[in-house]
Amino acid sequence: MRRPIRFTTVAVLAVALAAAGCTKNTGDKDEGDQQEASTQTAVLAENSDGPAPGVPGAKKGGTVTVYTSGDFEHLDPQQAYVIPALTAGTNLMWRTLTQFRENGDGKLEVVGDLATNTGEESNGGKTWKFTLKDGLKFEDGTPITSKDVAYGVARSFSPDLTEGPKWFQQWLAGSAEYNKVYKGPYDGGAKVPPGVEVPDDKTIIFNFKTPHADVPFAATMPTTSPVPAAKDTKAQYENHPVSSGPYKIQTYNRSQKMTLVRNENWDPNTDPIRHNFPDSYVFEFTRTAEQASEALLADAGEAQSGLSFQDEQVPASVYPKVIANPDAKKRILTGPTQFVWMIDINLQRVKDINVRKALNYALDREGMLKVWGSFSGLPATTILSPTTSGYEDFNLYDGGKNGNVEKAKELLGGKRVPLTYAYRNTERNQAIAAFLRSSLKNAGFDLTIQPVDEDQYYTVLGRRDNPFDLYLQGWGSDWPGGSTTIPPLFDGRAITPTGNQNITYMNDDTANQKMDEILALTDQTQADKQWAALDKDIMTRVVPIVPAIYDKQTTMYGSKIGGIYLSAPYGNSGLNNLYVK
């Protein structure tokens, strides 16, 4: 996931995730203090029945306002893979075959969401069967069937819809080139993908080329969200995805505002995860992080039942005022997440490994953190997050806290290197771009910085022919472990003209082969060790990124918001339990 985790057993799973229990600043920590990530236990739940567990103090009514400075990159469930859309969609509008159940208490389960359970495996793990619950309906009252789920998976194969997760497509096809033969349901294609069976309206069966014990976790991804074929508007579907969850779109003005209201055809008795306490949710896409934080600090009007979302973290300019205010300090949602912020190097353009090593030596991580917000992370030196099972701490290019300019110059051989750096056009990222341009100059780099619209950022970078040398991205695992970090980021066999997750465009035969070997292992402990070893090998031989920051979420909410918690799978504010006090 952007701001994407892998299990190989289907019992109790020890995983490394952000500590979901650490959801608030209680007044004991000041700027720069850090909370340590902890190891959680995730289980496949035995009971997937609704309704969702009660929320103490919750009541119906009111409007929750969500502040974010840019629109969702994609709200089409089969295209969504960036955290704000995943959180809002999964918590409020889309249902999937399975989903994570959490309440901010540190416990994490996978439950059947649309399905009656977390799936039934056979054929040595190659075949997985899901049975849908009774009483499932779309927002227009039409029953949700297994054919709608199959159609949702089918459309994810389309070359026109390239931005979402690719686990099911690749597993069904047995290849990274998943749409080489089957290209989805458009232009006369079948509405059910090869390898999928829908023997009746309640049953969907997946027949994979190889065993996949982590299917219950992959099924939490919105690839398995149902889509009614009659309502599919292809690339325009994200303007009004048909709701299967507790809220539906009332109005959606792109880049301005989206209002969600209750979906009267959602049955809470079928849903083990979600509630519909607020009358409505309003997403405002026009406030900067500073404007949102100032409004939440003042805690008046609509901001009392508002919250900042994902990248709208408390900026460094506002944070001192927040921690100096006892009331506001209690309304910080904070905790470590599984995300790593990294500067990707476009290997198609930056071909000299010494240039890439020099960038690693030259980066002033402490200075960058001060601009980013020193309370919002720790310096990073690895691909994998410290929350990842088997994580190994190393620093191959130790430039100290502020970078080693002389070592970088030595690697560059006295040459000056012009590079183009693309950044998401937000206040925080503007400041980071300016800092990098200034701080890397002494090491021999001449950066041209170029903004990209926030709601187009990863779409633009995912084009193989994008014109940039460097860009910042945050990546976190889809489910715990190295397999949903290293393969999507660095398997060169999956590179396509558009929709790439591998935006360094690395294609290294040795690393590709090692990924296949690790994915074939049945011993998870051994696999964890080998992912960590591959992390080090990639950073030694290829150097496709400059690790920058291990992420910590630090956002604010108003005094009338109840039921908020830091979501462990998404590293974002959970919305499914919110109510207005």
Side-chain angles (χ1 to χ4, degrees):
M1 290 179 287
R2 284 192 161 120
R3 181 307 257 141
I5 321 182
R6 175 178 174 115
F7 298 112
T8 57
T9 61
V10 288
V12 178
L13 302 155
V15 303
L17 272 178
C22 296
T23 59
K24 296 183 182 178
N25 186 325
T26 61
D28 299 326
K29 293 183 179 294
D30 291 324
E31 183 170 359
D33 287 350
Q34 298 292 323
Q35 295 160 278
E36 295 297 326
S38 67
T39 299
Q40 281 193 333
T41 299
V43 299
L44 298 184
E46 295 183 4
N47 187 338
S48 297
D49 296 339
V55 178
K59 62 179 183 178
K60 294 270 191 175
T63 295
V64 171
T65 302
V66 182
Y67 299 120
T68 178
S69 62
D71 202 344
F72 302 113
E73 193 146 347
H74 293 286
L75 205 55
D76 180 328
Q78 275 73 37
Q79 291 246 73
Y81 211 19
V82 182
I83 286 298
L86 283 176
T87 310
T90 300
N91 282 187
L92 303 176
M93 289 181 287
W94 315 320
R95 296 185 65 178
T96 47
L97 284 176
T98 64
Q99 196 47 249
F100 291 103
R101 178 164 60 195
E102 54 174 345
N103 294 294
D105 57 3
K107 297 178 182 179
L108 187 63
E109 296 179 300
V110 174
V111 297
D113 184 2
L114 293 172
T116 57
N117 56 31
T118 55
E120 301 168 27
E121 66 167 312
S122 58
N123 192 23
K126 293 181 182 180
T127 299
W128 282 83
K129 173 184 173 183
F130 293 89
T131 303
L132 269 58
K133 296 172 180 174
D134 295 330
L136 302 171
K137 295 179 180 179
F138 287 113
E139 64 178 72
D140 62 359
T142 304
I144 297 171
T145 72
S146 55
K147 294 180 179 66
D148 299 312
V149 176
Y151 184 79
V153 176
R155 67 195 297 274
S156 73
F157 279 79
S158 171
D160 297 327
L161 307 176
T162 59
E163 301 298 326
K166 297 176 172 56
W167 306 112
F168 272 85
Q169 303 94 303
Q170 293 177 355
W171 294 351
L172 287 166
S175 170
E177 298 179 285
Y178 59 86
N179 57 10
K180 189 173 183 179
V181 175
Y182 174 69
K183 300 183 183 299
Y186 307 143
D187 301 318
K191 292 183 178 181
V192 176
V196 177
E197 302 173 49
V198 281
D200 55 56
D201 283 350
K202 287 293 185 66
T203 308
I204 184 167
I205 300 169
F206 297 93
N207 298 291
F208 300 112
K209 303 294 185 182
T210 55
H212 293 284
D214 41 5
V215 166
F217 300 90
T220 66
M221 294 286 101
T223 312
T224 70
S225 185
V227 174
K231 299 290 180 69
D232 184 9
T233 53
K234 302 181 182 179
Q236 299 304 312
Y237 187 68
E238 61 192 358
N239 293 324
H240 193 130
V242 180
S243 176
S244 51
Y247 291 87
K248 62 183 180 181
I249 294 174
Q250 182 183 61
T251 59
Y252 186 14
N253 298 317
R254 296 284 295 182
S255 302
Q256 297 296 314
K257 181 183 290 189
M258 180 177 74
T259 300
L260 304 181
V261 295
R262 289 196 188 97
N263 171 14
E264 61 274 13
N265 283 302
W266 169 76
D267 182 355
N269 292 315
T270 69
D271 196 326
I273 301 157
R274 304 167 187 86
H275 295 281
N276 66 346
F277 299 129
D279 293 331
S280 60
Y281 283 81
V282 175
F283 289 79
E284 290 193 4
F285 303 124
T286 58
R287 294 211 191 192
T288 65
E290 188 169 76
Q291 290 169 341
S293 295
E294 290 283 8
L296 292 166
L297 176 62
D299 196 38
E302 70 171 24
Q304 288 185 298
S305 58
L307 65 143
S308 53
F309 206 48
Q310 184 59 26
D311 285 343
E312 304 317 301
Q313 300 205 42
V314 181
S317 60
V318 181
Y319 189 78
K321 290 189 283 186
V322 173
I323 62 171
N325 182 318
D327 174 67
K329 192 173 182 180
K330 294 176 184 178
R331 295 186 282 107
I332 297 176
L333 184 69
T334 186
T337 79
Q338 76 272 37
F339 290 86
V340 177
W341 290 98
M342 59 192 77
I343 299 173
D344 286 321
I345 306 172
N346 187 337
L347 301 187
Q348 301 171 119
R349 297 170 59 89
V350 185
K351 297 183 178 181
D352 186 342
I353 193 171
N354 283 331
V355 171
R356 305 196 295 268
K357 289 180 177 180
L359 283 164
N360 272 272
Y361 275 114
L363 181 63
D364 178 356
R365 290 172 173 82
E366 186 174 79
M368 183 173 174
L369 261 171
K370 286 180 180 178
V371 177
W372 188 260
S374 58
F375 49 88
S376 293
L378 293 169
T381 58
T382 60
I383 296 167
L384 296 175
S385 163
T387 65
T388 306
S389 303
Y391 163 80
E392 180 185 343
D393 184 17
F394 63 85
N395 187 358
L396 297 176
Y397 310 101
D398 190 353
K401 291 182 178 181
N402 300 111
N404 188 331
V405 169
E406 295 308 315
K407 182 64 177 178
K409 286 181 177 179
E410 178 187 328
L411 284 163
L412 296 180
K415 298 177 183 177
R416 297 206 64 81
V417 178
L419 296 169
T420 301
Y421 175 82
Y423 64 92
R424 185 189 284 108
N425 197 13
T426 67
E427 281 186 339
R428 192 187 208 190
N429 285 283
Q430 290 165 6
I432 289 294
F435 168 78
L436 291 174
R437 180 173 59 184
S438 174
S439 66
L440 292 175
K441 190 175 184 63
N442 289 339
F445 295 101
D446 296 318
L447 255 63
T448 299
I449 60 176
Q450 186 167 332
V452 178
D453 288 345
E454 186 173 10
D455 60 358
Q456 290 294 309
Y457 186 69
Y458 286 117
T459 300
V460 170
L461 302 185
R463 294 172 186 152
R464 186 168 57 194
D465 62 354
N466 83 69
F468 308 116
D469 301 307
L470 307 173
Y471 21 78
L472 184 70
Q473 81 156 318
W475 186 274
S477 46
D478 286 348
W479 57 95
S483 65
T484 63
T485 295
I486 290 179
L489 286 181
F490 301 114
D491 188 342
R493 297 163 295 185
I495 294 173
T496 57
T498 61
N500 290 292
Q501 293 153 14
N502 176 355
I503 55 176
T504 66
Y505 299 95
M506 171 177 149
N507 189 5
D508 180 82
D509 290 342
T510 300
N512 291 345
Q513 181 179 344
K514 189 62 180 178
M515 290 178 217
D516 290 343
E517 292 173 4
I518 302 173
L519 289 169
L521 292 174
T522 57
D523 184 331
Q524 182 61 37
T525 301
Q526 185 60 30
D528 289 341
K529 291 179 180 178
Q530 293 202 28
W531 286 123
L534 184 55
D535 179 349
K536 194 170 187 177
D537 175 65
I538 289 172
M539 287 303 298
T540 302
R541 291 188 307 101
V542 187
V543 202
I545 69 166
V546 183
I549 296 170
Y550 298 130
D551 183 69
K552 180 185 174 186
Q553 177 76 338
T554 308
T555 57
M556 284 189 71
Y557 57 94
S559 61
K560 291 186 177 181
I561 287 286
I564 196 168
Y565 65 94
L566 178 61
S567 172
Y570 300 112
N572 198 12
S573 310
L575 304 179
N576 57 307
N577 289 342
L578 292 188
Y579 64 92
V580 178
K581 295 178 182 179

